[in-house]
PDB file of all heavy atoms in Angstrom:
ATOM      1  N   GLY A   6      -4.698  11.804   9.821  1.00 95.00           N
ATOM      2  CA  GLY A   6      -4.171  12.733  10.810  1.00 95.00           C
ATOM      3  C   GLY A   6      -2.835  13.353  10.435  1.00 95.00           C
ATOM      4  O   GLY A   6      -2.383  14.287  11.088  1.00 95.00           O
ATOM      5  N   SER A   7      -2.202  12.837   9.392  1.00 97.00           N
ATOM      6  CA  SER A   7      -0.938  13.424   8.949  1.00 97.00           C
ATOM      7  C   SER A   7      -1.217  14.769   8.280  1.00 97.00           C
ATOM      8  O   SER A   7      -2.330  15.048   7.844  1.00 97.00           O
ATOM      9  CB  SER A   7      -0.207  12.483   7.991  1.00 97.00           C
ATOM     10  OG  SER A   7      -0.956  12.311   6.798  1.00 97.00           O
ATOM     11  N   VAL A   8      -0.195  15.583   8.205  1.00 97.00           N
ATOM     12  CA  VAL A   8      -0.321  16.901   7.587  1.00 97.00           C
ATOM     13  C   VAL A   8       0.568  16.932   6.353  1.00 97.00           C
ATOM     14  O   VAL A   8       1.727  16.533   6.402  1.00 97.00           O
ATOM     15  CB  VAL A   8       0.080  18.020   8.570  1.00 97.00           C
ATOM     16  CG1 VAL A   8       0.044  19.377   7.894  1.00 97.00           C
ATOM     17  CG2 VAL A   8      -0.816  18.010   9.791  1.00 97.00           C
ATOM     18  N   ARG A   9      -0.005  17.366   5.259  1.00 96.00           N
ATOM     19  CA  ARG A   9       0.720  17.428   3.991  1.00 96.00           C
ATOM     20  C   ARG A   9       0.733  18.870   3.507  1.00 96.00           C
ATOM     21  O   ARG A   9      -0.304  19.532   3.485  1.00 96.00           O
ATOM     22  CB  ARG A   9      -0.001  16.546   2.974  1.00 96.00           C
ATOM     23  CG  ARG A   9       0.533  16.643   1.578  1.00 96.00           C
ATOM     24  CD  ARG A   9      -0.312  15.835   0.628  1.00 96.00           C
ATOM     25  NE  ARG A   9       0.272  14.521   0.504  1.00 96.00           N
ATOM     26  CZ  ARG A   9      -0.216  13.564  -0.258  1.00 96.00           C
ATOM     27  NH1 ARG A   9      -1.316  13.766  -0.943  1.00 96.00           N
ATOM     28  NH2 ARG A   9       0.366  12.410  -0.338  1.00 96.00           N
ATOM     29  N   SER A  10       1.897  19.341   3.128  1.00 97.00           N
ATOM     30  CA  SER A  10       1.998  20.669   2.510  1.00 97.00           C
ATOM     31  C   SER A  10       1.607  20.544   1.049  1.00 97.00           C
ATOM     32  O   SER A  10       2.045  19.622   0.362  1.00 97.00           O
ATOM     33  CB  SER A  10       3.424  21.211   2.622  1.00 97.00           C
ATOM     34  OG  SER A  10       3.703  21.530   3.950  1.00 97.00           O
ATOM     35  N   PHE A  11       0.773  21.460   0.608  1.00 97.00           N
ATOM     36  CA  PHE A  11       0.299  21.423  -0.776  1.00 97.00           C
ATOM     37  C   PHE A  11       0.452  22.810  -1.369  1.00 97.00           C
ATOM     38  O   PHE A  11       0.002  23.791  -0.796  1.00 97.00           O
ATOM     39  CB  PHE A  11      -1.161  20.978  -0.844  1.00 97.00           C
ATOM     40  CG  PHE A  11      -1.614  20.618  -2.227  1.00 97.00           C
ATOM     41  CD1 PHE A  11      -1.551  19.311  -2.667  1.00 97.00           C
ATOM     42  CD2 PHE A  11      -2.078  21.584  -3.100  1.00 97.00           C
ATOM     43  CE1 PHE A  11      -1.947  18.973  -3.947  1.00 97.00           C
ATOM     44  CE2 PHE A  11      -2.471  21.261  -4.381  1.00 97.00           C
ATOM     45  CZ  PHE A  11      -2.411  19.939  -4.812  1.00 97.00           C
ATOM     46  N   THR A  12       1.091  22.871  -2.520  1.00 97.00           N
ATOM     47  CA  THR A  12       1.272  24.140  -3.229  1.00 97.00           C
ATOM     48  C   THR A  12       0.356  24.168  -4.436  1.00 97.00           C
ATOM     49  O   THR A  12       0.323  23.227  -5.227  1.00 97.00           O
ATOM     50  CB  THR A  12       2.739  24.305  -3.684  1.00 97.00           C
ATOM     51  OG1 THR A  12       3.582  24.257  -2.531  1.00 97.00           O
ATOM     52  CG2 THR A  12       2.941  25.623  -4.409  1.00 97.00           C
ATOM     53  N   GLY A  13      -0.401  25.250  -4.540  1.00 95.00           N
ATOM     54  CA  GLY A  13      -1.306  25.417  -5.675  1.00 95.00           C
ATOM     55  C   GLY A  13      -1.484  26.890  -5.985  1.00 95.00           C
ATOM     56  O   GLY A  13      -1.071  27.762  -5.206  1.00 95.00           O
ATOM     57  N   PHE A  14      -2.097  27.147  -7.117  1.00 93.00           N
ATOM     58  CA  PHE A  14      -2.384  28.531  -7.481  1.00 93.00           C
ATOM     59  C   PHE A  14      -3.349  29.153  -6.471  1.00 93.00           C
ATOM     60  O   PHE A  14      -4.205  28.463  -5.911  1.00 93.00           O
ATOM     61  CB  PHE A  14      -2.997  28.612  -8.881  1.00 93.00           C
ATOM     62  CG  PHE A  14      -2.034  28.263  -9.978  1.00 93.00           C
ATOM     63  CD1 PHE A  14      -2.241  27.137 -10.764  1.00 93.00           C
ATOM     64  CD2 PHE A  14      -0.926  29.052 -10.232  1.00 93.00           C
ATOM     65  CE1 PHE A  14      -1.357  26.810 -11.784  1.00 93.00           C
ATOM     66  CE2 PHE A  14      -0.033  28.734 -11.247  1.00 93.00           C
ATOM     67  CZ  PHE A  14      -0.254  27.605 -12.023  1.00 93.00           C
ATOM     68  N   LYS A  15      -3.220  30.458  -6.279  1.00 92.00           N
ATOM     69  CA  LYS A  15      -4.127  31.151  -5.363  1.00 92.00           C
ATOM     70  C   LYS A  15      -5.577  30.979  -5.787  1.00 92.00           C
ATOM     71  O   LYS A  15      -6.465  30.892  -4.944  1.00 92.00           O
ATOM     72  CB  LYS A  15      -3.772  32.636  -5.259  1.00 92.00           C
ATOM     73  CG  LYS A  15      -2.556  32.893  -4.419  1.00 92.00           C
ATOM     74  CD  LYS A  15      -2.336  34.390  -4.220  1.00 92.00           C
ATOM     75  CE  LYS A  15      -1.136  34.622  -3.328  1.00 92.00           C
ATOM     76  NZ  LYS A  15      -0.919  36.070  -3.103  1.00 92.00           N
ATOM     77  N   LEU A  16      -5.818  30.902  -7.090  1.00 90.00           N
ATOM     78  CA  LEU A  16      -7.185  30.687  -7.565  1.00 90.00           C
ATOM     79  C   LEU A  16      -7.750  29.380  -7.017  1.00 90.00           C
ATOM     80  O   LEU A  16      -8.911  29.316  -6.636  1.00 90.00           O
ATOM     81  CB  LEU A  16      -7.215  30.675  -9.092  1.00 90.00           C
ATOM     82  CG  LEU A  16      -8.583  30.495  -9.738  1.00 90.00           C
ATOM     83  CD1 LEU A  16      -9.536  31.609  -9.320  1.00 90.00           C
ATOM     84  CD2 LEU A  16      -8.452  30.453 -11.249  1.00 90.00           C
ATOM     85  N   MET A  17      -6.932  28.332  -6.940  1.00 94.00           N
ATOM     86  CA  MET A  17      -7.371  27.059  -6.373  1.00 94.00           C
ATOM     87  C   MET A  17      -7.725  27.227  -4.896  1.00 94.00           C
ATOM     88  O   MET A  17      -8.744  26.719  -4.426  1.00 94.00           O
ATOM     89  CB  MET A  17      -6.276  25.996  -6.532  1.00 94.00           C
ATOM     90  CG  MET A  17      -6.682  24.639  -6.003  1.00 94.00           C
ATOM     91  SD  MET A  17      -5.279  23.558  -5.696  1.00 94.00           S
ATOM     92  CE  MET A  17      -4.672  24.219  -4.150  1.00 94.00           C
ATOM     93  N   TRP A  18      -6.882  27.966  -4.164  1.00 96.00           N
ATOM     94  CA  TRP A  18      -7.147  28.175  -2.742  1.00 96.00           C
ATOM     95  C   TRP A  18      -8.380  29.049  -2.528  1.00 96.00           C
ATOM     96  O   TRP A  18      -9.112  28.862  -1.552  1.00 96.00           O
ATOM     97  CB  TRP A  18      -5.922  28.766  -2.049  1.00 96.00           C
ATOM     98  CG  TRP A  18      -4.788  27.785  -1.975  1.00 96.00           C
ATOM     99  CD1 TRP A  18      -3.564  27.904  -2.548  1.00 96.00           C
ATOM    100  CD2 TRP A  18      -4.788  26.511  -1.317  1.00 96.00           C
ATOM    101  NE1 TRP A  18      -2.808  26.792  -2.283  1.00 96.00           N
ATOM    102  CE2 TRP A  18      -3.530  25.921  -1.524  1.00 96.00           C
ATOM    103  CE3 TRP A  18      -5.734  25.811  -0.570  1.00 96.00           C
ATOM    104  CZ2 TRP A  18      -3.195  24.670  -1.008  1.00 96.00           C
ATOM    105  CZ3 TRP A  18      -5.395  24.565  -0.061  1.00 96.00           C
ATOM    106  CH2 TRP A  18      -4.147  24.009  -0.271  1.00 96.00           C
ATOM    107  N   TYR A  19      -8.627  30.012  -3.431  1.00 93.00           N
ATOM    108  CA  TYR A  19      -9.863  30.786  -3.339  1.00 93.00           C
ATOM    109  C   TYR A  19     -11.074  29.866  -3.501  1.00 93.00           C
ATOM    110  O   TYR A  19     -12.076  30.012  -2.796  1.00 93.00           O
ATOM    111  CB  TYR A  19      -9.906  31.902  -4.387  1.00 93.00           C
ATOM    112  CG  TYR A  19      -8.920  33.022  -4.177  1.00 93.00           C
ATOM    113  CD1 TYR A  19      -8.315  33.649  -5.255  1.00 93.00           C
ATOM    114  CD2 TYR A  19      -8.595  33.480  -2.902  1.00 93.00           C
ATOM    115  CE1 TYR A  19      -7.401  34.680  -5.072  1.00 93.00           C
ATOM    116  CE2 TYR A  19      -7.683  34.510  -2.716  1.00 93.00           C
ATOM    117  CZ  TYR A  19      -7.092  35.100  -3.800  1.00 93.00           C
ATOM    118  OH  TYR A  19      -6.186  36.124  -3.614  1.00 93.00           O
ATOM    119  N   SER A  20     -10.978  28.915  -4.416  1.00 93.00           N
ATOM    120  CA  SER A  20     -12.057  27.940  -4.593  1.00 93.00           C
ATOM    121  C   SER A  20     -12.237  27.099  -3.334  1.00 93.00           C
ATOM    122  O   SER A  20     -13.356  26.847  -2.889  1.00 93.00           O
ATOM    123  CB  SER A  20     -11.786  27.013  -5.778  1.00 93.00           C
ATOM    124  OG  SER A  20     -11.910  27.690  -6.985  1.00 93.00           O
ATOM    125  N   PHE A  21     -11.129  26.651  -2.773  1.00 96.00           N
ATOM    126  CA  PHE A  21     -11.162  25.852  -1.539  1.00 96.00           C
ATOM    127  C   PHE A  21     -11.877  26.619  -0.432  1.00 96.00           C
ATOM    128  O   PHE A  21     -12.783  26.091   0.226  1.00 96.00           O
ATOM    129  CB  PHE A  21      -9.723  25.512  -1.139  1.00 96.00           C
ATOM    130  CG  PHE A  21      -9.584  24.630   0.068  1.00 96.00           C
ATOM    131  CD1 PHE A  21      -9.894  23.277   0.002  1.00 96.00           C
ATOM    132  CD2 PHE A  21      -9.111  25.139   1.259  1.00 96.00           C
ATOM    133  CE1 PHE A  21      -9.740  22.455   1.103  1.00 96.00           C
ATOM    134  CE2 PHE A  21      -8.954  24.328   2.368  1.00 96.00           C
ATOM    135  CZ  PHE A  21      -9.268  22.985   2.298  1.00 96.00           C
ATOM    136  N   ASP A  22     -11.499  27.880  -0.241  1.00 95.00           N
ATOM    137  CA  ASP A  22     -12.125  28.710   0.795  1.00 95.00           C
ATOM    138  C   ASP A  22     -13.598  28.951   0.489  1.00 95.00           C
ATOM    139  O   ASP A  22     -14.448  28.889   1.386  1.00 95.00           O
ATOM    140  CB  ASP A  22     -11.391  30.042   0.928  1.00 95.00           C
ATOM    141  CG  ASP A  22      -9.956  29.873   1.422  1.00 95.00           C
ATOM    142  OD1 ASP A  22      -9.637  28.828   2.038  1.00 95.00           O
ATOM    143  OD2 ASP A  22      -9.145  30.789   1.164  1.00 95.00           O
ATOM    144  N   TYR A  23     -13.910  29.235  -0.761  1.00 93.00           N
ATOM    145  CA  TYR A  23     -15.296  29.483  -1.170  1.00 93.00           C
ATOM    146  C   TYR A  23     -16.168  28.264  -0.863  1.00 93.00           C
ATOM    147  O   TYR A  23     -17.275  28.390  -0.338  1.00 93.00           O
ATOM    148  CB  TYR A  23     -15.343  29.813  -2.663  1.00 93.00           C
ATOM    149  CG  TYR A  23     -16.725  30.033  -3.211  1.00 93.00           C
ATOM    150  CD1 TYR A  23     -17.365  31.259  -3.053  1.00 93.00           C
ATOM    151  CD2 TYR A  23     -17.402  29.024  -3.886  1.00 93.00           C
ATOM    152  CE1 TYR A  23     -18.639  31.468  -3.549  1.00 93.00           C
ATOM    153  CE2 TYR A  23     -18.670  29.223  -4.386  1.00 93.00           C
ATOM    154  CZ  TYR A  23     -19.294  30.452  -4.216  1.00 93.00           C
ATOM    155  OH  TYR A  23     -20.559  30.647  -4.701  1.00 93.00           O
ATOM    156  N   LEU A  24     -15.668  27.079  -1.189  1.00 95.00           N
ATOM    157  CA  LEU A  24     -16.450  25.859  -0.975  1.00 95.00           C
ATOM    158  C   LEU A  24     -16.678  25.570   0.503  1.00 95.00           C
ATOM    159  O   LEU A  24     -17.710  25.015   0.876  1.00 95.00           O
ATOM    160  CB  LEU A  24     -15.785  24.668  -1.659  1.00 95.00           C
ATOM    161  CG  LEU A  24     -15.798  24.728  -3.183  1.00 95.00           C
ATOM    162  CD1 LEU A  24     -14.934  23.619  -3.767  1.00 95.00           C
ATOM    163  CD2 LEU A  24     -17.217  24.646  -3.720  1.00 95.00           C
ATOM    164  N   THR A  25     -15.733  25.954   1.341  1.00 94.00           N
ATOM    165  CA  THR A  25     -15.921  25.720   2.774  1.00 94.00           C
ATOM    166  C   THR A  25     -16.838  26.766   3.405  1.00 94.00           C
ATOM    167  O   THR A  25     -17.413  26.516   4.462  1.00 94.00           O
ATOM    168  CB  THR A  25     -14.568  25.690   3.530  1.00 94.00           C
ATOM    169  OG1 THR A  25     -13.889  26.921   3.344  1.00 94.00           O
ATOM    170  CG2 THR A  25     -13.707  24.543   3.041  1.00 94.00           C
ATOM    171  N   ILE A  26     -16.992  27.899   2.738  1.00 92.00           N
ATOM    172  CA  ILE A  26     -17.873  28.951   3.271  1.00 92.00           C
ATOM    173  C   ILE A  26     -19.251  28.891   2.617  1.00 92.00           C
ATOM    174  O   ILE A  26     -20.264  28.759   3.282  1.00 92.00           O
ATOM    175  CB  ILE A  26     -17.243  30.346   3.065  1.00 92.00           C
ATOM    176  CG1 ILE A  26     -15.959  30.461   3.882  1.00 92.00           C
ATOM    177  CG2 ILE A  26     -18.217  31.457   3.441  1.00 92.00           C
ATOM    178  CD1 ILE A  26     -15.107  31.664   3.537  1.00 92.00           C
ATOM    179  N   ALA A  27     -19.289  28.995   1.306  1.00 86.00           N
ATOM    180  CA  ALA A  27     -20.562  29.100   0.582  1.00 86.00           C
ATOM    181  C   ALA A  27     -21.061  27.772   0.038  1.00 86.00           C
ATOM    182  O   ALA A  27     -22.235  27.641  -0.279  1.00 86.00           O
ATOM    183  CB  ALA A  27     -20.419  30.095  -0.571  1.00 86.00           C
ATOM    184  N   GLY A  28     -20.179  26.806  -0.075  1.00 77.00           N
ATOM    185  CA  GLY A  28     -20.571  25.534  -0.662  1.00 77.00           C
ATOM    186  C   GLY A  28     -20.973  24.474   0.341  1.00 77.00           C
ATOM    187  O   GLY A  28     -21.355  23.373  -0.016  1.00 77.00           O
ATOM    188  N   ASN A  29     -20.874  24.817   1.620  1.00 87.00           N
ATOM    189  CA  ASN A  29     -21.251  23.905   2.696  1.00 87.00           C
ATOM    190  C   ASN A  29     -20.454  22.609   2.719  1.00 87.00           C
ATOM    191  O   ASN A  29     -20.972  21.549   3.046  1.00 87.00           O
ATOM    192  CB  ASN A  29     -22.754  23.604   2.664  1.00 87.00           C
ATOM    193  CG  ASN A  29     -23.581  24.840   2.925  1.00 87.00           C
ATOM    194  OD1 ASN A  29     -23.216  25.660   3.758  1.00 87.00           O
ATOM    195  ND2 ASN A  29     -24.662  24.995   2.200  1.00 87.00           N
ATOM    196  N   TYR A  30     -19.185  22.677   2.354  1.00 95.00           N
ATOM    197  CA  TYR A  30     -18.276  21.543   2.465  1.00 95.00           C
ATOM    198  C   TYR A  30     -17.282  21.831   3.576  1.00 95.00           C
ATOM    199  O   TYR A  30     -16.909  22.977   3.794  1.00 95.00           O
ATOM    200  CB  TYR A  30     -17.486  21.329   1.161  1.00 95.00           C
ATOM    201  CG  TYR A  30     -18.299  20.766   0.034  1.00 95.00           C
ATOM    202  CD1 TYR A  30     -18.997  21.599  -0.831  1.00 95.00           C
ATOM    203  CD2 TYR A  30     -18.369  19.397  -0.179  1.00 95.00           C
ATOM    204  CE1 TYR A  30     -19.739  21.089  -1.880  1.00 95.00           C
ATOM    205  CE2 TYR A  30     -19.105  18.873  -1.219  1.00 95.00           C
ATOM    206  CZ  TYR A  30     -19.794  19.724  -2.068  1.00 95.00           C
ATOM    207  OH  TYR A  30     -20.533  19.212  -3.093  1.00 95.00           O
ATOM    208  N   THR A  31     -16.849  20.780   4.257  1.00 96.00           N
ATOM    209  CA  THR A  31     -15.765  20.953   5.213  1.00 96.00           C
ATOM    210  C   THR A  31     -14.448  20.699   4.486  1.00 96.00           C
ATOM    211  O   THR A  31     -14.423  20.070   3.423  1.00 96.00           O
ATOM    212  CB  THR A  31     -15.871  19.985   6.394  1.00 96.00           C
ATOM    213  OG1 THR A  31     -15.679  18.649   5.927  1.00 96.00           O
ATOM    214  CG2 THR A  31     -17.225  20.114   7.096  1.00 96.00           C
ATOM    215  N   LYS A  32     -13.365  21.162   5.065  1.00 96.00           N
ATOM    216  CA  LYS A  32     -12.047  20.906   4.491  1.00 96.00           C
ATOM    217  C   LYS A  32     -11.799  19.406   4.406  1.00 96.00           C
ATOM    218  O   LYS A  32     -11.279  18.914   3.402  1.00 96.00           O
ATOM    219  CB  LYS A  32     -10.968  21.595   5.322  1.00 96.00           C
ATOM    220  CG  LYS A  32     -11.050  23.099   5.275  1.00 96.00           C
ATOM    221  CD  LYS A  32     -10.042  23.753   6.192  1.00 96.00           C
ATOM    222  CE  LYS A  32     -10.214  25.265   6.146  1.00 96.00           C
ATOM    223  NZ  LYS A  32      -9.245  25.953   6.980  1.00 96.00           N
ATOM    224  N   ASN A  33     -12.198  18.686   5.441  1.00 96.00           N
ATOM    225  CA  ASN A  33     -12.004  17.229   5.457  1.00 96.00           C
ATOM    226  C   ASN A  33     -12.790  16.540   4.343  1.00 96.00           C
ATOM    227  O   ASN A  33     -12.305  15.579   3.743  1.00 96.00           O
ATOM    228  CB  ASN A  33     -12.389  16.648   6.810  1.00 96.00           C
ATOM    229  CG  ASN A  33     -11.451  17.078   7.917  1.00 96.00           C
ATOM    230  OD1 ASN A  33     -10.322  17.487   7.660  1.00 96.00           O
ATOM    231  ND2 ASN A  33     -11.912  17.000   9.153  1.00 96.00           N
ATOM    232  N   GLU A  34     -14.009  17.016   4.074  1.00 97.00           N
ATOM    233  CA  GLU A  34     -14.807  16.427   2.995  1.00 97.00           C
ATOM    234  C   GLU A  34     -14.145  16.643   1.640  1.00 97.00           C
ATOM    235  O   GLU A  34     -14.115  15.733   0.805  1.00 97.00           O
ATOM    236  CB  GLU A  34     -16.221  17.028   2.975  1.00 97.00           C
ATOM    237  CG  GLU A  34     -17.101  16.582   4.104  1.00 97.00           C
ATOM    238  CD  GLU A  34     -18.423  17.325   4.150  1.00 97.00           C
ATOM    239  OE1 GLU A  34     -18.463  18.534   3.823  1.00 97.00           O
ATOM    240  OE2 GLU A  34     -19.424  16.681   4.513  1.00 97.00           O
ATOM    241  N   LEU A  35     -13.616  17.838   1.412  1.00 97.00           N
ATOM    242  CA  LEU A  35     -12.963  18.123   0.132  1.00 97.00           C
ATOM    243  C   LEU A  35     -11.714  17.269  -0.052  1.00 97.00           C
ATOM    244  O   LEU A  35     -11.472  16.741  -1.143  1.00 97.00           O
ATOM    245  CB  LEU A  35     -12.628  19.607   0.034  1.00 97.00           C
ATOM    246  CG  LEU A  35     -13.839  20.548  -0.025  1.00 97.00           C
ATOM    247  CD1 LEU A  35     -13.399  22.002   0.110  1.00 97.00           C
ATOM    248  CD2 LEU A  35     -14.635  20.331  -1.296  1.00 97.00           C
TER     249      LEU A  35
END
């Protein structure tokens, strides 16, 4: 339940978003 700030390349965040939309993963699962 804690919140952590994470800095990464935008390409990494595009992958994160892609996986939650097209890859059928939730943010929590990743």
